[in-house]
Amino acid sequence: MANKMTKGWFALFTVPLLVIFVTVVIIPFLMGIYYSFFDWDGIGANPMVFVGLENYTQLFSDQRFLDSAWLTVKFTILALISVNILGITFALLVTSALRTVNAARAMLFMPNLIGGLILGYIWQFIFTDAFKIIGESTGFGGVFFNWLLDPDYALYALVFVFTWQMAGYMMIIYIAGIQGISNEIIEAAKIDGASYWQKLRKITLPLLMPSITISMFLTLSFAFKIYDVNLSLTGGGPINSTELFALHIYNEIFGYGNYGFGQAKAVIFFIVVAVVTLTQVYITKKREVEM
Amino acid sequence: MNISKIIKELLLLLFSLVFLSPVYIMVVNSFKNRQELYENVMALPEQFSLQYYIDAMDKMNFLTALGNSLFITITSVIFIVALSSMTAWMLARTDNKLSKFIFMTFIATMLIPFQTLMMPLMQFMDTISSTLNIQMLNTRGGLIYMHIGFNAGMAVFLYHGFVRSTVPISLEEAATIDGCSKLGLFWKIVFPILKPITVTVIILNVIAIWNDFLLPSLTLTDTALRTIPLSTFYFFGEFTIQWNMAMAGLTLTVIPVVIFYVFAQKHIIKGIGEGAVK
């Protein structure tokens, strides 16, 4: 009787969410794997043809897919560097003893709250028109021209905007890390006559390693999955030169109507994201044990 | 206070302002006419004409979109908080294989990127709509349902950790002896203790759902149902871009975010930190 009661309560508390969760996440996930073995154009009346692993083997001869994968890697590496350098710099600036640090912190974080889609449009205006006008009036046409029309610069523009969006977010993580460093060590170094750069290089940065690891992996996973900014800033153009992974998958499925093939790409996407994240968890856990 | 310190203070403020200059460029150009805009993008407008705001509001259906975004975000977040906290507490307080399995499933699925689920999800929701006759696609309710499903994993994870580390089990036992039912026990005693983590869950989900574009773009086709990101997207797609009106439209979409930020800044920064580190 008591057991039955417990089971009833258990069901009452968990079943509503579980039903939603299973129908929104679990079933579509399994269906997704199933679809990836078929050739289908997404139209219900048309037959789904079982092709086994063909979608997966075909991936490696799909030049657009390989280009997109390479672009995503390139974008991610550039973003990792710029976001984290700026994030650490911001954090160091706003943990100084100045009175304006709170205002600065609030302002530097703000871009992160504006949605990626809207942020991309703001920057689209800056790159297409503001840059052009500034270039013409200042004479620095070498820097201020429309980045979005040049295949190489369009990717840099994407890195630029992504950095603008994410640096404040990583700053928050680094602030927590810096505040965790004990004052005694810093004071001791000061008494020993260490300069600002010596303190930074020998004390602050090494002690920040746990925060750096977290931020690196977070940036990695955000950068790898970028979609909204990509869509609104460049739309993948010019000529597919900035079509990153997530946008590529969307276009393959809903743009070209290759539901099976596109879903195989989506499954590969999941595997890559999962491997990266699990590596992060493994490294973070290992470090916690060591410390 | 010496001079060099004052200079440093000013430099830091100036640096932050320069960092936010895209927002400045957006706002000033939303008031300028075409000629003024092309003369100098950085200058302040000569006159404050609200014309472009009126046009943008009309073309974006801004008030409808704002209403939809508010309704969808608030309703989704209420359900996420209520259902996830209940589930997480029950899973944390029952020590058996089933609850461990359920919890691990919630965590593991946090790894799945949305792009992996979007196509089959649309197929499955379509199947539900046609077989059970419940409209899942192109309805606010259906979108809310999907938001709950996608954000449940993270919320359960955060609540579970908090219950395990902070909520005293002795308090719950005392209440049970006093004849409190599980439901009463949870809502009257446990849920108030969960408040700090509830704030974090609310913040993280408000930001994620408010800004979400891809899921609503796949589910909502009706113009009257569009959320703010959706109406912005179509606004940019349907009209040849008049930048002053476009900037007015973008400024409109940023205003609610700024208001939210002003009121909840401390919680937002704390919540982001907690959500990220876990």
Side-chain angles (χ1 to χ4, degrees):
Chain A
M1 177 63 197
N3 195 19
K4 232 179 196 169
M5 278 272 285
T6 319
K7 274 185 183 158
W9 285 120
F10 187 83
L12 182 76
F13 273 66
T14 58
V15 166
L17 189 65
L18 284 177
V19 169
I20 301 176
F21 179 68
V22 168
T23 49
V24 172
V25 178
I26 305 290
I27 293 175
F29 180 67
L30 299 174
M31 282 170 75
I33 296 172
Y34 175 79
Y35 279 123
S36 72
F37 299 121
F38 287 84
D39 186 19
W40 187 42
D41 61 4
I43 297 165
N46 289 350
M48 285 171 64
V49 184
F50 181 76
V51 291
L53 288 172
E54 202 182 289
N55 284 333
Y56 289 95
T57 52
Q58 229 182 54
L59 284 178
F60 298 98
S61 50
D62 178 7
Q63 196 54 44
R64 250 184 71 243
F65 174 76
L66 297 175
D67 286 347
S68 170
W70 168 236
L71 276 172
T72 311
V73 170
K74 209 164 124 187
F75 168 79
T76 306
I77 293 171
L78 291 172
L80 265 180
I81 299 168
S82 63
V83 169
N84 285 287
I85 289 181
L86 215 59
I88 292 185
T89 313
F90 286 0
L92 289 171
L93 284 175
V94 301
T95 45
S96 58
L98 299 173
R99 285 175 185 195
T100 43
V101 290
N102 282 331
R105 203 179 286 193
M107 285 195 270
L108 296 175
F109 177 72
M110 172 147 182
N112 192 259
L113 282 185
I114 306 172
L117 191 85
I118 287 158
L119 213 125
Y121 286 126
I122 299 175
W123 278 94
Q124 198 193 335
F125 170 65
I126 295 176
F127 281 120
T128 44
D129 280 10
F131 261 40
K132 204 175 78 195
I133 299 162
I134 294 170
E136 280 164 10
S137 59
T138 60
F140 290 114
V143 182
F144 295 107
F145 60 95
N146 188 348
W147 286 23
L148 304 180
L149 292 180
D150 180 297
D152 284 327
Y153 277 86
L155 189 73
Y156 300 147
L158 210 53
V159 174
F160 199 93
V161 177
F162 182 76
T163 306
W164 192 67
Q165 180 188 24
M166 296 310 302
Y169 186 104
M170 296 309 153
M171 170 188 78
I172 304 283
I173 297 168
Y174 286 121
I175 290 174
I178 292 173
Q179 286 170 342
I181 298 174
S182 92
N183 257 330
E184 287 163 29
I185 305 177
I186 305 273
E187 287 303 319
K190 258 190 204 162
I191 293 167
D192 289 344
S195 74
Y196 180 79
W197 291 110
Q198 279 174 322
K199 271 188 291 170
L200 184 65
R201 228 160 44 89
K202 298 272 161 74
I203 299 172
T204 313
L205 286 183
L207 287 176
L208 265 184
M209 273 322 281
S211 308
I212 294 177
T213 316
I214 294 170
S215 302
M216 286 296 229
F217 274 105
L218 275 174
T219 318
L220 188 63
S221 98
F222 284 130
F224 204 76
K225 291 192 272 192
I226 185 174
Y227 177 82
D228 292 6
V229 178
N230 196 183
L231 178 71
S232 58
L233 186 68
T234 67
I239 357 160
N240 288 341
S241 62
T242 58
E243 191 192 56
L244 303 188
F245 232 106
L247 185 59
H248 177 78
I249 292 169
Y250 181 92
N251 289 341
E252 188 69 62
I253 297 176
F254 297 112
Y256 295 89
N258 296 325
Y259 276 53
F261 189 40
Q263 189 57 34
K265 291 177 176 179
V267 172
I268 296 290
F269 188 51
F270 158 68
I271 293 170
V272 176
V273 171
V275 167
V276 168
T277 318
L278 291 176
T279 314
Q280 171 203 358
V281 173
Y282 176 74
I283 292 176
T284 322
K285 283 264 169 334
K286 209 173 139 211
R287 198 184 296 274
E288 273 169 14
V289 173
E290 281 165 3
M291 273 170 42
Chain B
M1 208 158 144
N2 55 31
I3 301 277
S4 92
K5 192 150 186 223
I6 294 175
I7 292 174
K8 274 188 195 162
E9 300 269 8
L10 289 177
L11 276 179
L12 183 60
L13 270 192
L14 188 72
F15 175 78
S16 314
L17 286 172
V18 170
F19 186 71
L20 277 188
S21 59
V23 176
Y24 166 83
I25 293 177
M26 170 181 81
V27 176
V28 290
N29 288 297
S30 65
F31 295 107
K32 294 179 191 169
N33 63 34
R34 210 180 142 72
Q35 195 200 347
E36 225 189 318
L37 190 150
Y38 283 98
E39 259 164 30
N40 188 350
V41 272
M42 301 299 287
L44 283 168
E46 277 158 25
Q47 53 186 22
F48 284 90
S49 153
L50 286 177
Q51 190 53 46
Y52 303 113
Y53 281 86
I54 296 165
D55 293 348
M57 272 184 120
D58 179 47
K59 295 230 161 90
M60 286 174 78
N61 265 326
F62 183 75
L63 292 179
T64 315
L66 180 69
N68 287 333
S69 272
L70 282 173
F71 177 73
I72 288 164
T73 307
I74 292 171
T75 318
S76 303
V77 171
I78 291 173
F79 275 106
I80 290 167
V81 165
L83 297 178
S84 303
S85 60
M86 284 169 75
T87 304
W89 177 71
M90 197 42 114
L91 292 179
R93 289 292 181 243
T94 45
D95 199 24
N96 59 43
K97 276 189 184 146
L98 179 66
S99 33
K100 278 205 187 92
F101 173 75
I102 296 173
F103 183 61
M104 289 316 288
T105 313
F106 271 117
I107 295 184
T109 52
M110 281 161 63
L111 293 172
I112 308 173
F114 180 71
Q115 278 76 12
T116 309
L117 299 171
M118 62 183 178
M119 185 274 276
L121 174 71
M122 290 308 118
Q123 301 297 328
F124 185 54
M125 289 298 141
D126 194 43
T127 312
I128 291 182
S129 305
S130 52
T131 51
L132 300 179
N133 214 7
I134 308 168
Q135 273 310 312
M136 297 305 289
L137 295 174
N138 201 18
T139 58
R140 279 179 283 239
L143 178 60
I144 290 166
Y145 184 87
M146 285 178 253
H147 274 312
I148 300 169
F150 279 118
N151 294 293
M154 178 74 165
V156 167
F157 175 63
L158 289 173
Y159 273 121
H160 192 273
F162 193 85
V163 170
R164 278 275 164 100
S165 64
T166 322
V167 181
I169 202 157
S170 52
L171 195 69
E172 292 174 20
E173 280 161 355
T176 313
I177 293 165
D178 288 347
C180 216
S181 78
K182 288 261 182 203
L183 212 52
L185 167 69
F186 178 76
W187 286 111
K188 283 194 199 117
I189 298 177
V190 178
F191 191 72
I193 306 176
L194 298 178
K195 195 181 158 204
I197 199 73
T198 300
V199 173
T200 302
V201 170
I202 291 174
I203 297 282
L204 292 175
N205 282 294
V206 164
I207 297 170
I209 295 171
W210 183 269
N211 288 329
D212 191 24
F213 166 73
L214 189 49
L215 176 63
S217 81
L218 292 171
T219 58
L220 304 176
T221 43
D222 217 334
T223 325
L225 296 177
R226 283 177 188 164
T227 58
I228 285 185
L230 268 183
S231 74
T232 314
F233 177 75
Y234 287 106
F235 175 63
F236 272 80
E238 279 164 17
F239 305 98
T240 41
I241 300 178
Q242 284 181 43
W243 280 116
N244 36 24
M245 190 169 75
M247 290 302 119
L250 291 179
T251 307
L252 285 173
T253 66
V254 172
I255 290 170
V257 178
V258 172
I259 294 174
F260 177 61
Y261 191 40
V262 168
F263 282 104
Q265 196 216 60
K266 236 167 107 187
H267 294 303
I268 291 174
I269 290 184
K270 185 177 145 277
I272 293 280
E274 277 176 12
V277 177
K278 274 161 190 161

